[in-house]
Amino acid sequence: MAVEHPANDSSRRRYQYIDKFLNRACPSTDPDFVPGAPTITNLETSKVLVIGAGGLGCEILKNLAMSGFRDIHVIDMDTIDVSNLNRQFLFRKDDVGMSKAEVAAASIMKRCKDVKITPFNGRIQDKDEDFYLQFKIIVCGLDSIEARRWINATLCSMVDMDNPESLKPLVDGGTEGFKGQARVIIPTLTSCIECQLDMHAPRAAVPLCTLATIPRQPEHCIEWAKIIAWEEHRKDTILDTDDPEHITWLYEKALNRAKEFNIPGVTYQTTQGVVKNIIPAIASTNAIIAAACCNEAFKLATSCNPTLTNYMMYTGDDSIYTYTFEHEQKPDCPVCGNLAKTITVNPNQTLQEFIQSLGERPEAQLKKPTLRTESTSLYFQSPPSLEEQTRPNLSKKLRELISDGEEVGVSDPAFIIDFKFKLVFQS
């Protein structure tokens, strides 16, 4: 039986199509679903955080506002560039140089008077657990694997089994050209982003000799600035691909390198794309993936239908194709599991070579790892005194430093968690 919402009719007129779902039960609704006023009120008061206000984030903000959410927060550290205007529809030419989060919030509130959007201009890593605990649902529209891994680890670490309110569902969307995915993560209970990391293989590396001596493409100049120039001039500073000052420095170095070899095409946007491994976005893909993400957020807030279990992939390059499957939780996941991940290694490989491989392995993707066993410090990236003390180990073979099957603890400044790997020697 349908139950009408008691609020003023004019305040619900915009959402009358949504109320058709919320005012009645159906065979697939959750057993605890209560049609009518309680569910509508719950939707309106659900505090949602949107991470990212770029191409995907703009679509997500618009969809959430039009779906009945009235308390939305958005965080993004970027400013608007003229290149954003072709697909990030909440921005105009006069907004160039301004905060994406602030302009997006103002643009949505101008059109949806009954929706409050609170913008934050900054990095997600600068917010503490108390900040994230205030939200009911978190929706990601990020273009960075590192940022996804960070928020995933943070939400998992927040979970307190004695406090149900500490469990914050994460809806994550991502696009790459004509491809995209949407996934629902219930921290510690379902497969998390770290469990699925091997589905996001790192970009194939360019030989260092090419970067150092005979660059042929603008991407080679940018990789040279990132790998060689940064290590030479700013070794003690951790490269933050979300920091505009760091990107500008790399761009200027790459541009000078390109001029030296008469290579055109190095721009700030290209530099940002190479450093952050950004594939050009397509507006229609963003719209499809954002719709899928907001549909899941709506179901999480209202229990009107079962949520996605738990991964949806989309491709539109040849034709329109979607596929949904349940990605299983991994017991050796460093974030939501409790076992060490087994890695098969060559015992004659040097520690330096193994460290380099951690950045290339799809299941690791660690840039500046510090390694230690239960009894020995293998290599420290910092502070300088410990780096100097453990540096001689880099040239030693793994069989000289560890035993077959021994566990190695790995930490990386980009992540808040430690990783455990069980190194098994090749026979």
Side-chain angles (χ1 to χ4, degrees), residues 239-282:
L239 175 61
D240 183 353
T241 58
D242 287 325
D243 188 329
E245 189 272 325
H246 289 191
I247 298 295
T248 300
W249 189 92
L250 293 174
Y251 161 62
E252 291 171 351
K253 290 291 183 184
L255 185 61
N256 291 334
R257 178 78 167 174
K259 289 178 179 177
E260 181 182 346
F261 288 88
N262 297 316
I263 300 173
V266 173
T267 64
Y268 182 89
Q269 183 184 3
T270 305
T271 302
Q272 194 174 37
V274 171
V275 171
K276 299 178 70 174
N277 196 19
I278 298 173
I279 295 176
I282 294 173

Side-chain angles (χ1 to χ4, degrees), residues 183 191-200 310-311 327:
R183 49 189 164 184
S191 168
C192 74
I193 287 175
E194 203 72 28
C195 293
Q196 305 164 16
L197 188 61
D198 53 5
M199 298 179 68
H200 302 274
N310 53 22
Y311 195 105
H327 199 291

